[in-house]
Amino acid sequence: MSHTDPIPKTATLPLAPDAGPEADLRFVRTAPRHLVDRSAVAEVLITDWRRLGPDTFRLGAQWPRGHHFYAPIAGAWYDPLLTAESLRQASVLVGQTYYGVPADHHFTIAELEFEVVPGVILLGTRPAEMRLEAAATDVRGAGPPTALTLEADLLRGDDFAGAGRLTLRASAPRDPSAGEGGGYPSLPDPVPPAIVGRLDERDVVLGVPRSAAARRGLNWDLRIDPGHPVLFDHPTHEIPGMVLLEAARQAAQAACAPYRVLPVELRSAFHFPLALGLPCRVSATRLPAQDASEDAALRVTAWQSGRLAFDSLVVASLCD
């Protein structure tokens, strides 16, 4: 991929000398939901974890073949955004379990990037059992960390499936009543679900701009539905990072229609928290390809109150 330098692969980590057979991961049950900042047990991907060294870890994640939101792409591939959610959950778990971040802290994504190998994330006859060989490379703050960066290789069996890096922020405990009640902007009309690769308009996060001028080009209003069971798993005052990643994917899909897009690389920066109660504009720009066979590349941005809040490069393979 010539648009950006590849994500450096974390070297596959050896077992700790005293790890022994117990370092083998199990995929028989999920992690406790509070360890991955989830309310619904059904949304937990992480199944097992081990510490291999002072700042190195091995985690297991199971990807369901038929997730109700992160559904298979073109009936053939696991949704690559499961990589992002696996990294997010792994970072929260590592922060709480090994670095003393309290479970009631508020977790937000500051930066996230990943790449996947399409041939290794094809659907199979059983849920995919993924192994994250991870290292905490930047832990900040005295006492419980206020931020940490987790880099990971993603493996499926012995096959390299991808790599990623996520920087997670942890802040003071959230208000239990956060996000409850009113104060949300009215939902704009959704774009047709098929244009953004969705079947149900409740899963569409891009809305038709209310401004006629904004309807020209690749511009949308962000649709915020705090009742969505996956994107808003628990009450919050801020727009979750996974909502913005989904907006980036849907924007890429809309820009490349009628082809179906398979995001193979994504690099995102979250510049400041987006308030739920204020409108947010999403825009996409198709970047020039170097040759006819190259994957599509797009820059997707989100703006609120005249400020750039989110910036993402999406590289996608186009499926017939």
Side-chain angles (χ1 to χ4, degrees):
M1 300 171 189
S2 60
H3 293 285
T4 55
D5 295 330
I7 300 172
K9 298 177 184 178
T10 304
T12 300
L13 302 171
L15 293 178
D18 59 349
E22 70 274 16
D24 293 337
L25 296 173
R26 295 187 292 267
F27 298 88
V28 296
R29 59 186 176 188
T30 59
R33 54 198 173 106
H34 71 276
L35 287 182
V36 297
D37 193 33
R38 276 299 196 179
S39 293
V41 173
E43 300 307 321
V44 178
L45 301 178
I46 301 298
T47 62
D48 203 2
W49 59 97
R50 301 283 185 273
R51 189 175 202 163
L52 304 182
D55 297 297
T56 55
F57 312 92
R58 174 172 293 160
L59 302 98
Q62 187 185 75
W63 290 1
R65 291 188 296 158
H67 194 279
H68 55 292
F69 184 75
Y70 297 112
I73 304 294
W77 292 275
Y78 284 98
D79 186 343
L81 286 192
L82 287 168
T83 304
E85 177 61 13
S86 298
L87 284 168
R88 189 199 67 78
Q89 292 189 17
S91 300
V92 173
L93 186 147
V94 166
Q96 290 188 61
T97 305
Y98 299 111
Y99 294 98
V101 178
D104 61 355
H105 271 40
H106 180 49
F107 299 97
T108 57
I109 303 171
E111 295 180 350
L112 187 149
E113 55 188 66
F114 70 79
E115 63 178 350
V116 295
V117 180
V120 184
I121 62 168
L122 288 165
L123 293 174
T125 57
R126 302 178 61 186
E129 295 179 349
M130 313 301 290
R131 189 171 85 249
L132 284 78
E133 301 286 3
T137 58
D138 186 12
V139 182
R140 308 172 203 166
T146 56
L148 66 85
T149 297
L150 196 73
E151 298 184 11
D153 279 355
L154 190 69
L155 296 102
R156 186 179 183 183
D158 294 328
D159 296 325
F160 176 76
R165 179 189 298 113
L166 184 147
T167 297
L168 188 77
R169 293 194 186 105
S171 56
R174 62 169 67 92
D175 182 345
S177 63
E180 297 179 350
Y184 307 122
S186 59
L187 285 175
D189 293 333
V191 301
I195 290 178
V196 293
R198 287 293 174 183
L199 298 176
D200 191 332
E201 71 174 29
R202 291 174 296 183
D203 294 333
V204 175
V205 299
L206 299 182
V208 177
R210 294 181 174 91
S211 164
R215 293 174 193 161
R216 294 191 294 269
L218 301 173
N219 301 294
W220 304 272
D221 288 341
L222 188 65
R223 298 183 79 241
I224 302 302
D225 179 9
H228 195 282
V230 177
L231 294 176
F232 287 86
D233 177 68
H234 48 251
T236 177
H237 281 310
E238 301 170 1
I239 297 174
M242 293 302 294
V243 173
L244 295 170
L245 295 181
E246 178 62 23
R249 180 249 292 284
Q250 291 190 17
Q253 177 63 65
C256 296
Y259 295 101
R260 191 68 194 274
V261 303
L262 177 73
V264 295
E265 184 176 353
L266 187 145
R267 297 170 181 270
S268 300
F270 302 75
H271 301 296
F272 70 88
L274 282 157
L276 282 173
L278 297 174
C280 177
R281 174 65 49 80
V282 176
S283 299
T285 303
R286 186 83 177 254
L287 303 178
Q290 299 300 314
D291 58 69
S293 64
E294 193 166 57
D295 296 333
L298 300 97
R299 183 188 183 212
V300 180
T301 57
W303 298 75
Q304 190 174 74
S305 301
R307 299 169 62 198
L308 177 64
F310 170 76
D311 193 357
S312 184
L313 171 71
V314 183
V315 179
S317 293
L318 303 183
C319 313
D320 293 331

